[in-house]
Every structure is written in C-alpha cells, then in structure tokens.
Amino acid sequence: MALYAELHRHLGGSVVPRILWRYFQRQTTDLAHRFPEYPEFEEFYTRSRSTLDEYLELHTLVESVQTAQTLPYFIYRLIRGAYIFENLAYLELRYTPYLRTSEQLSQSERIEQMAEIIEIVGQASRVKDYPIVISQILCMHSRLPYEVNKAIVELAAQGKEYVCGVDLAGGDAHYAERLDEFVRLYKYARSLGLKTTGHLYETTEGCYPELLPYLMRIGHGIHIPIKYPELLKEVADQQQCLEVCPTTYLKTGTLNDLRQLKVVFDRCFDAGVDIAICTDNAGLHNVRLPFEYENLLTQDVIDFEQLQACQDAAFRHAFAWPHTQRPASLLTGLLQDKTSEAVVVNSR
Ligand SMILES: [Zn+2]
C-alpha cells in the first residue's frame, strides 16, 4: 500500500461536499433550504470558478461554519476520510485561526481566542482510530491587519506541540502594497525558529521574488518554472520544495488543462527542484490525494519514477515528520513505528 504525505491542505477546503451538505441539513440553515437535494449542492460547491478570488470566497462559506463548537465534528470526519480513502500517513492542516474566532468579539479578544482554536484543532486531530501524524500550519492572511498576522506568528512559535509552521494565504495577487510587511513577518517567523511556507507564484500576479528567500517551501510556485525558470537554480540551491496542487489550477482558472503542468515538472526535475503533490482543497474539489497523483500519471504529465520521487519529496520536506534516513520504500515499517507512537499520543 502506498502511503502519502499531504503538505498543503486547507481546513476550510477539506470538507467534502456530502459532509458539508449533511451538516447544513442537520442544522437546518439557509443553505439547507437553498439546496434541499445533494446533487445541486455538489454542483454549486465544486464547480470551477473563473478567478482565484472568486474561488477563495467558498472558503468563507466553510469558515463561517467551522467554529470552536463545530471544528471537532469536521476534523474527525476529515481524518477518518484521509485515513481510510487516501492512505495518508502524514497531514499538515493549514488555516487562519483568526477566521475561526467569534465575529462578535473585538480584534484583541479575537486574537486571544486564537489560542483556544489551535488547542481545539490540536485535540480534535488526535483520533485514536485513525493514527495519521498531523500538525497545523497557521496561515497569515493578506487581508488581515499586521497585528493579527504578527500574533499568528507568535502563536505558532508558542504552540509547537500542535503547530509546525506558518504560511501566507488570501490570494497572492494582494501582497503588492504590503510586501515589506510580509517580509518583516517572515523574518520574524524565521527568527523564532519557525518553518515557513507561503502561497506564492500561484498566479501570474503573485510573483514576488522578495519573499522567496524566507520560504522553506513554496505554496504552488508553478509560475517559477513557467514564467521565471531562471530562478530555479536558486530554488534548488536553497532546497526549497514546490507544493503543486494540480486540480486547484483548473478550478481557479489559472490553467485550463492539467497537461500544462508538464513543463513545471520537467523544468523542476531538470533543475533538481523537489515537488510535493498536494490537494490544496480536497473537499472543495472532491479530488483526494491519490487521485491527484493518478491524474498526472494518466495525462502523461509525470511517469511512475517521477511519481515516486514526488511521494518521497513530500515526506522529506514535511515539517513535522520524524525525519530519518529511511527512504519511502520502507515507509510501511516507519508507519508502523509511528502508528504505535501516535496511538500512545492519542490515548493520553
Ligand atoms: Zn492553498
């Protein structure tokens, strides 16, 4: 059985449509009335959007129902699905904790409540029956004020029991006016010993070389090989890994055919840049991680050897995987070790 490490999955986009629809029906929300039948909801939820911004609005829908009270419900179902249907051995779950706090509170109260959200997500991620190694990545957000993003970095540094790194999300086209601020935040994160990734070079508008030196992994980054292949040598020297999430580019209108990714893989392999294949929003797309791999293979974007190289790269660049010298071909043994550890952790 092939085992997978997932490095780029948003909590907001991780809920598969049927789970979300059922939740709405149980809670009899407005959406339950709007979509009394499941197929219409699935069509609404998973259809392609024309821009990244439009696509990100769907996150808002899910964020609004992922509150302190409901997070354990969604996380349990996410982990169960990831273990049973995706063979995940490792999962980094990313989200902006501020966007799960109560909107009725003041900004400073919401900042305070973030610690509670991280604890809730951390506790809910310890599911005894499905022993995946899970850690959180906290996302700074391009539309949130500096103080909130700074608090997110500080919480990540304090919460290392549950948190393995920080990210910057919210659409990479919106960084331009505040680039200095984001550079400062990343410097701060690195000074606190945090691991870093960031949504960057996802869209043609989101290409900021100024941020690159601070990232250990690059969220998407596909426009480096597509538009700026001259940067690949530096990326390889820095041992940065690209988190490539194939289905996303079709759903956001960034690409219109998966085969356009061939140049991304070819140029990265040639330059010695690692790629981890990820889902981004497995629920929103209704495409699970093994199928992201399979789709690339069947469309001749990658071959089996490259597939395995990407699978190995994901474990190698995982922020919280217990790194050993063992290659992925021995992962089954490693998982067994890790599983017993995870069970110990979970049963505490
Ligand atoms: Zn993402």
Side-chain angles (χ1 to χ4, degrees):
M1 181 176 69
L3 296 169
Y4 297 94
E6 163 74 291
L7 305 190
H8 190 137
R9 184 168 304 190
H10 293 267
L11 183 54
S14 65
V15 186
V16 294
R18 193 171 283 279
I19 297 276
L20 193 59
W21 180 78
R22 209 163 268 155
Y23 174 82
F24 288 140
Q25 299 299 318
R26 281 185 187 148
Q27 303 299 314
T28 56
T29 62
D30 291 349
L31 275 160
H33 296 299
R34 196 171 145 198
F35 297 106
E37 302 299 328
Y38 174 72
E40 286 76 32
F41 177 73
E42 185 185 301
E43 148 61 22
F44 158 78
Y45 188 63
T46 61
R47 78 182 138 95
S48 299
R49 265 62 185 178
S50 52
T51 64
L52 178 61
D53 280 345
E54 206 188 306
Y55 169 84
L56 291 176
E57 271 174 35
L58 269 184
H59 274 263
T60 318
L61 169 76
V62 184
E63 278 155 5
S64 68
V65 297
Q66 287 183 334
T67 59
Q69 292 72 36
T70 63
L71 275 166
Y73 174 90
F74 287 111
I75 291 171
Y76 178 80
R77 281 154 185 79
L78 156 69
I79 294 171
R80 183 175 59 185
Y83 188 78
I84 292 178
F85 301 120
E86 298 184 81
N87 297 328
L88 289 197
Y90 177 84
L91 169 63
E92 289 176 10
L93 205 48
R94 62 180 74 193
Y95 67 103
T96 303
Y98 190 83
L99 300 177
R100 267 74 184 180
T101 56
S102 310
E103 283 177 15
Q104 292 79 13
L105 301 176
S106 69
Q107 179 173 301
S108 56
E109 287 168 331
R110 290 182 75 176
I111 287 176
E112 257 176 55
Q113 206 196 5
M114 286 198 292
E116 186 196 331
I117 299 292
I118 294 164
E119 177 73 26
I120 289 170
V121 174
Q123 288 293 334
S125 300
R126 293 177 170 176
V127 182
K128 198 167 86 187
D129 297 337
Y130 312 114
I132 304 173
V133 179
I134 298 177
S135 192
Q136 302 175 37
I137 291 188
L138 303 187
C139 303
M140 300 181 276
H141 198 285
S142 61
R143 296 182 194 269
L144 286 175
Y146 177 75
E147 307 77 63
V148 175
N149 284 330
K150 183 164 177 271
I152 288 173
V153 170
E154 285 165 352
L155 277 168
Q158 289 155 19
K160 285 188 180 148
E161 185 189 354
Y162 296 126
V163 182
C164 65
V166 287
D167 174 33
L168 174 58
D172 58 7
H174 303 289
Y175 302 166
E177 319 84 74
R178 298 170 62 194
L179 211 50
D180 290 349
E181 196 180 307
F182 295 129
V183 166
R184 199 157 16 122
L185 286 162
Y186 270 117
K187 272 190 188 165
Y188 185 42
R190 294 294 292 261
S191 77
L192 297 175
L194 279 168
K195 297 192 168 139
T196 54
T197 179
H199 285 72
L200 202 61
Y201 289 85
E202 176 178 3
T203 63
T204 48
E205 300 86 35
C207 302
Y208 306 105
E210 299 87 340
L211 283 174
L212 272 181
Y214 304 101
L215 303 184
M216 298 164 83
R217 299 196 318 238
I218 302 160
H220 304 292
I222 56 166
H223 286 97
I224 298 175
I226 293 175
K227 280 191 77 181
Y228 305 98
E230 67 278 9
L231 293 175
L232 285 173
K233 188 184 176 308
E234 182 69 17
V235 173
D237 289 347
Q238 297 299 315
Q239 299 184 334
Q240 292 161 313
C241 169
L242 264 52
E243 302 160 1
V244 171
C245 311
T247 304
T248 293
Y249 314 125
L250 305 180
K251 296 286 185 183
T252 56
T254 304
L255 302 177
N256 43 40
D257 192 317
L258 269 192
R259 282 168 295 187
Q260 289 170 275
L261 283 174
K262 184 153 175 56
V263 69
V264 171
F265 283 88
D266 287 349
R267 288 182 179 169
C268 284
F269 276 109
D270 287 348
V273 171
D274 285 341
I275 292 181
I277 295 166
C278 314
T279 60
D280 207 10
N281 296 292
L284 206 56
H285 305 155
N286 222 2
V287 179
R288 294 184 179 277
L289 188 60
F291 290 102
E292 294 284 3
Y293 280 87
E294 188 177 342
N295 289 338
L296 292 174
L297 196 68
T298 52
Q299 306 235 10
D300 289 326
V301 175
I302 54 172
D303 59 27
F304 269 105
E305 208 176 306
Q306 291 171 322
L307 180 148
Q308 195 161 20
C310 292
Q311 236 177 326
D312 290 349
F315 281 99
R316 218 167 35 246
H317 290 273
F319 289 157
W321 182 254
H323 293 283
T324 70
Q325 297 307 308
R326 293 191 234 189
S329 50
L330 295 174
L331 267 175
T332 312
L334 186 54
L335 181 70
Q336 274 161 4
D337 298 350
K338 201 54 222 169
T339 302
S340 31
E341 269 175 50
V343 171
V344 171
V345 169
N346 285 332
S347 59
R348 262 185 216 150

XYZ file of all heavy atoms in Angstrom, residues 46-91:
387
model
N -18.559 22.487 -5.991
C -17.332 22.014 -6.638
C -17.089 22.616 -8.025
O -16.074 22.338 -8.644
C -17.339 20.469 -6.796
O -18.450 20.110 -7.610
C -17.444 19.759 -5.468
N -18.017 23.447 -8.505
C -17.807 23.923 -9.884
C -16.596 24.850 -9.978
O -16.188 25.458 -8.988
C -19.074 24.613 -10.405
C -19.284 26.024 -9.912
C -20.609 26.566 -10.462
N -21.332 27.296 -9.433
C -21.258 28.619 -9.285
N -20.502 29.330 -10.067
N -21.929 29.220 -8.328
N -16.066 24.942 -11.169
C -14.886 25.784 -11.379
C -15.259 27.254 -11.257
O -16.364 27.661 -11.595
C -14.315 25.550 -12.781
O -13.934 24.218 -12.907
N -14.335 28.037 -10.754
C -14.512 29.478 -10.673
C -13.582 30.120 -11.699
O -12.612 29.493 -12.150
C -14.156 29.968 -9.269
C -15.334 30.106 -8.308
C -16.058 28.813 -8.005
N -17.240 29.059 -7.168
C -18.080 28.130 -6.783
N -17.936 26.892 -7.151
N -19.119 28.445 -6.029
N -13.868 31.392 -12.022
C -13.038 31.974 -13.081
C -11.777 32.646 -12.549
O -10.835 32.861 -13.298
C -13.854 32.943 -13.929
O -14.490 33.865 -13.100
N -11.761 32.980 -11.253
C -10.547 33.589 -10.702
C -10.244 32.987 -9.330
O -11.123 32.398 -8.693
C -10.708 35.118 -10.483
O -11.732 35.313 -9.493
C -11.086 35.834 -11.768
N -9.011 33.218 -8.883
C -8.628 32.739 -7.554
C -9.469 33.426 -6.475
O -9.909 32.789 -5.521
C -7.134 32.986 -7.310
C -6.586 32.575 -5.947
C -6.745 31.079 -5.703
C -5.113 32.953 -5.809
N -9.738 34.710 -6.639
C -10.527 35.436 -5.636
C -11.930 34.858 -5.486
O -12.430 34.673 -4.378
C -10.617 36.923 -6.002
C -9.345 37.660 -5.596
O -8.564 37.094 -4.802
O -9.135 38.782 -6.073
N -12.548 34.576 -6.616
C -13.901 34.031 -6.595
C -13.903 32.654 -5.907
O -14.788 32.325 -5.113
C -14.376 33.888 -8.048
C -15.877 33.934 -8.215
C -16.265 33.580 -9.640
O -15.731 34.238 -10.569
O -17.048 32.653 -9.821
N -12.872 31.903 -6.206
C -12.707 30.569 -5.635
C -12.528 30.650 -4.115
O -13.109 29.879 -3.358
C -11.495 29.954 -6.322
C -10.927 28.692 -5.762
C -11.455 27.450 -6.095
C -9.800 28.732 -4.933
C -10.884 26.288 -5.610
C -9.228 27.573 -4.454
C -9.771 26.353 -4.790
O -9.200 25.211 -4.307
N -11.740 31.650 -3.683
C -11.463 31.769 -2.248
C -12.706 32.174 -1.455
O -12.770 31.953 -0.252
C -10.326 32.768 -1.998
C -8.939 32.300 -2.462
C -7.900 33.391 -2.251
C -8.506 31.014 -1.755
N -13.696 32.743 -2.134
C -14.939 33.094 -1.434
C -15.610 31.858 -0.845
O -16.294 31.938 0.173
C -15.907 33.779 -2.405
C -15.709 35.279 -2.462
C -16.569 35.909 -3.525
O -17.690 35.413 -3.719
O -16.096 36.875 -4.151
N -15.415 30.725 -1.477
C -16.011 29.492 -0.961
C -15.448 29.128 0.409
O -16.127 28.535 1.237
C -15.747 28.341 -1.923
C -16.801 28.089 -2.993
C -16.414 26.868 -3.784
C -18.179 27.879 -2.388
N -14.178 29.495 0.614
C -13.585 29.261 1.923
C -14.383 29.981 3.003
O -14.564 29.481 4.098
C -12.143 29.783 1.959
C -11.147 28.791 1.465
N -10.428 27.995 2.312
C -10.771 28.455 0.222
C -9.648 27.210 1.595
N -9.829 27.477 0.322
N -14.844 31.162 2.649
C -15.600 31.964 3.613
C -16.848 31.212 4.057
O -17.221 31.217 5.226
C -15.990 33.312 2.961
O -14.865 33.779 2.231
C -16.405 34.320 3.986
N -17.473 30.545 3.115
C -18.668 29.767 3.432
C -18.352 28.692 4.480
O -19.070 28.535 5.469
C -19.192 29.105 2.139
C -20.274 28.057 2.301
C -21.611 28.707 2.583
C -20.368 27.167 1.068
N -17.253 27.989 4.266
C -16.908 26.901 5.190
C -16.394 27.472 6.511
O -16.748 26.988 7.587
C -15.868 25.950 4.562
C -15.609 24.771 5.495
C -16.349 25.456 3.221
N -15.564 28.529 6.412
C -15.040 29.140 7.637
C -16.185 29.561 8.558
O -16.099 29.436 9.771
C -14.192 30.368 7.284
C -12.773 30.001 6.870
C -12.139 31.057 5.978
O -12.756 32.108 5.758
O -11.022 30.806 5.486
N -17.277 30.046 7.957
C -18.374 30.554 8.787
C -19.016 29.442 9.615
O -19.614 29.712 10.645
C -19.420 31.249 7.906
O -20.053 30.294 7.095
N -18.906 28.202 9.164
C -19.496 27.122 9.968
C -18.454 26.380 10.813
O -18.806 25.571 11.663
C -20.281 26.098 9.100
C -21.444 26.771 8.417
C -19.389 25.409 8.086
N -17.160 26.653 10.573
C -16.128 25.992 11.382
C -15.810 26.856 12.606
O -14.857 27.611 12.621
C -14.869 25.751 10.545
C -15.063 24.638 9.525
C -13.799 24.325 8.741
O -12.933 25.179 8.587
N -13.686 23.112 8.238
N -16.626 26.717 13.594
C -16.452 27.499 14.821
C -15.816 26.613 15.897
O -15.628 25.407 15.689
C -17.831 27.961 15.325
O -18.617 26.775 15.553
C -18.531 28.830 14.297
N -15.531 27.234 17.035
C -14.949 26.465 18.149
C -15.811 25.232 18.459
O -15.294 24.159 18.761
C -14.822 27.364 19.374
N -17.125 25.383 18.348
C -18.033 24.275 18.707
C -18.039 23.178 17.635
O -18.156 22.003 17.952
C -19.475 24.782 18.868
C -19.725 25.699 20.059
C -19.110 27.082 19.869
O -19.077 27.627 18.758
N -18.587 27.664 20.950
N -17.960 23.573 16.374
C -18.156 22.571 15.319
C -16.845 21.995 14.762
O -16.874 20.994 14.059
C -18.929 23.174 14.128
O -18.140 24.235 13.565
C -20.275 23.720 14.537
N -15.712 22.628 15.068
C -14.440 22.156 14.488
C -14.188 20.662 14.733
O -13.811 19.941 13.809
C -13.270 22.996 15.005
C -13.019 24.290 14.217
C -12.083 25.214 14.988
C -12.462 24.010 12.825
N -14.392 20.168 15.968
C -14.131 18.729 16.178
C -14.968 17.840 15.266
O -14.491 16.813 14.763
C -14.503 18.518 17.659
C -14.282 19.866 18.278
C -14.722 20.854 17.233
N -16.205 18.231 14.996
C -17.089 17.460 14.106
C -16.470 17.327 12.720
O -16.375 16.236 12.151
C -18.444 18.191 14.026
C -19.441 17.618 13.047
C -20.354 16.640 13.443
C -19.495 18.075 11.720
C -21.286 16.131 12.550
C -20.424 17.563 10.823
C -21.321 16.596 11.239
O -22.232 16.089 10.360
N -16.013 18.462 12.185
C -15.461 18.439 10.829
C -14.090 17.751 10.780
O -13.782 17.029 9.840
C -15.356 19.866 10.267
C -16.695 20.440 9.906
C -17.241 21.492 10.634
C -17.419 19.930 8.838
C -18.486 22.014 10.300
C -18.666 20.447 8.501
C -19.206 21.490 9.235
N -13.291 18.000 11.802
C -11.934 17.441 11.783
C -11.966 15.914 11.900
O -11.221 15.218 11.222
C -11.070 18.095 12.881
C -10.820 19.563 12.501
C -9.744 17.360 13.072
C -10.182 20.402 13.567
N -12.857 15.422 12.737
C -12.967 13.963 12.871
C -13.285 13.326 11.516
O -12.668 12.351 11.105
C -14.059 13.606 13.898
C -14.241 12.119 14.030
C -13.375 11.358 14.809
C -15.260 11.467 13.329
C -13.515 9.983 14.909
C -15.412 10.087 13.417
C -14.539 9.357 14.213
O -14.688 7.987 14.295
N -14.231 13.923 10.812
C -14.625 13.369 9.510
C -13.518 13.507 8.471
O -13.316 12.643 7.620
C -15.924 14.023 9.042
C -17.113 13.405 9.739
C -18.320 14.287 9.867
N -19.339 13.591 10.653
C -19.326 13.492 11.977
N -18.345 14.050 12.692
N -20.282 12.824 12.618
N -12.798 14.612 8.564
C -11.671 14.810 7.655
C -10.609 13.715 7.856
O -10.127 13.113 6.895
C -11.062 16.202 7.911
C -9.609 16.435 7.526
C -9.436 16.416 6.024
C -9.121 17.769 8.073
N -10.276 13.456 9.104
C -9.220 12.486 9.408
C -9.667 11.065 9.044
O -8.897 10.295 8.465
C -8.805 12.593 10.895
C -8.154 13.959 11.118
C -7.881 11.454 11.289
C -7.889 14.290 12.562
N -10.911 10.774 9.352
C -11.435 9.452 9.006
C -11.321 9.217 7.490
O -10.817 8.194 7.031
C -12.898 9.362 9.456
C -13.545 8.021 9.215
C -14.953 7.974 9.794
N -15.814 9.010 9.206
C -17.056 9.256 9.594
N -17.595 8.566 10.582
N -17.775 10.204 9.031
N -11.723 10.184 6.702
C -11.655 10.060 5.241
C -10.216 9.985 4.745
O -9.891 9.200 3.852
N -9.364 10.788 5.350
C -7.962 10.832 4.907
C -7.264 9.503 5.175
O -6.425 9.053 4.401
C -7.234 11.963 5.628
N -7.636 8.861 6.259
C -7.001 7.592 6.625
C -7.557 6.450 5.782
O -6.810 5.651 5.219
C -7.247 7.323 8.110
C -6.473 6.147 8.647
C -5.122 6.254 8.945
C -7.096 4.921 8.857
C -4.406 5.176 9.437
C -6.393 3.836 9.353
C -5.044 3.972 9.637
O -4.337 2.900 10.123
N -8.862 6.418 5.669
C -9.492 5.275 5.002
C -9.396 5.360 3.476
O -9.105 4.381 2.812
C -10.972 5.149 5.446
C -11.011 4.751 6.916
C -11.728 4.142 4.590
C -12.380 4.625 7.511
N -9.630 6.548 2.940
C -9.710 6.646 1.473
C -8.440 7.170 0.814
O -8.291 7.089 -0.391
C -10.889 7.541 1.069
C -12.208 7.046 1.565
C -12.986 7.829 2.407
C -12.668 5.787 1.215
C -14.206 7.370 2.884
C -13.879 5.320 1.685
C -14.648 6.108 2.522
N -7.554 7.795 1.595
C -6.386 8.418 0.960
C -5.050 7.801 1.372
O -4.010 8.191 0.851
C -6.341 9.917 1.282
C -7.532 10.681 0.754
C -7.391 12.163 1.002
O -6.700 12.840 0.231
O -7.974 12.654 1.992
N -5.080 6.919 2.348
C -3.841 6.315 2.852
C -2.829 7.354 3.295
O -1.634 7.238 3.017
C -3.207 5.406 1.791
C -4.096 4.242 1.435
O -4.844 3.758 2.283
N -4.052 3.822 0.185
N -3.302 8.373 3.952
C -2.365 9.391 4.439
C -1.654 8.874 5.687
O -2.274 8.359 6.612
C -3.081 10.691 4.804
C -3.653 11.568 3.695
C -3.923 12.982 4.234
C -2.760 11.652 2.481
N -0.332 9.025 5.683
C 0.452 8.725 6.879
C 0.762 10.025 7.609
O 1.078 10.034 8.794
C 1.753 8.041 6.484
N 0.667 11.127 6.863
C 1.091 12.409 7.412
C 0.229 13.512 6.805
O -0.071 13.486 5.611
C 2.556 12.648 7.027
C 3.089 13.983 7.487
C 3.581 14.139 8.776
C 3.085 15.088 6.633
C 4.052 15.363 9.198
C 3.554 16.318 7.056
C 4.041 16.452 8.339
O 4.508 17.666 8.778
N -0.159 14.461 7.635
C -1.029 15.543 7.153
C -0.686 16.854 7.844
O -0.659 16.928 9.066
C -2.495 15.178 7.436
C -3.554 16.260 7.243
C -3.646 16.720 5.789
C -4.928 15.748 7.706
